[in-house]
Amino acid sequence: MTVYVAEVSGRGVIAFEAANDVDAATRLTDRTLLRDLRVLQNEGRSLWDGVSPIGLREPSPPELEIWQQRPVTAKASLSDDDRSWRVYLVAVVDPTEFDDDDDDDDYDDGPGD
């Protein structure tokens, strides 16, 4: 298996293994991945705007080191719901995990609610 990096706007965002270039390109069509890239943020910005091309390349030495230090649980999987096949190369925040209102429900109550 070869390690690949998905690059958005000149920045490597995830590393993953694939058998070949075709398999790597197929990984970039994963619906869960594409959704996560639009939702997850780094420095207040989404990792991907949903429009810009996502490129594939070999990892730089620091990126390869991040891949090699991944948790043992990060193994390749073909399941759409399994995110363990990829490792983020930048710090990410999931803004959907934050509930800004004071009640116990999962809804963000607006003014007057």
Side-chain angles (χ1 to χ4, degrees):
M1 296 283 247
T2 303
V3 178
Y4 291 86
V5 167
E7 182 178 79
V8 177
S9 301
R11 175 176 66 160
V13 291
I14 61 166
F16 60 94
E17 282 185 327
N20 53 47
D21 293 351
V22 173
D23 185 37
T26 300
R27 287 279 186 168
L28 295 184
T29 65
D30 179 271
R31 286 182 173 183
T32 303
L33 169 66
L34 297 176
R35 183 190 65 227
D36 287 351
L37 291 177
R38 284 191 304 265
V39 171
L40 297 177
Q41 297 180 357
N42 173 263
E43 298 180 359
R45 291 186 359 215
S46 292
L47 299 178
W48 179 53
D49 61 12
V51 179
S52 300
I54 302 173
L56 278 174
R57 62 172 171 78
E58 293 181 13
S60 67
E63 291 168 338
L64 186 58
E65 186 174 334
I66 291 169
W67 171 258
Q68 291 169 338
Q69 293 177 359
R70 72 194 184 282
V72 176
T73 57
K75 295 184 179 176
S77 171
L78 297 179
S79 167
D80 285 343
D81 293 331
D82 186 358
R83 293 174 175 89
S84 66
W85 59 268
R86 61 186 185 249
V87 172
Y88 287 93
L89 300 172
V90 295
V92 295
V93 172
D94 183 350
T96 64
E97 291 183 3
F98 298 100
D99 185 5
D100 292 341
D101 56 11
D102 292 330
D103 56 21
D104 290 333
D105 65 21
D106 291 333
Y107 304 101
D108 186 20
D109 300 332
D113 289 334

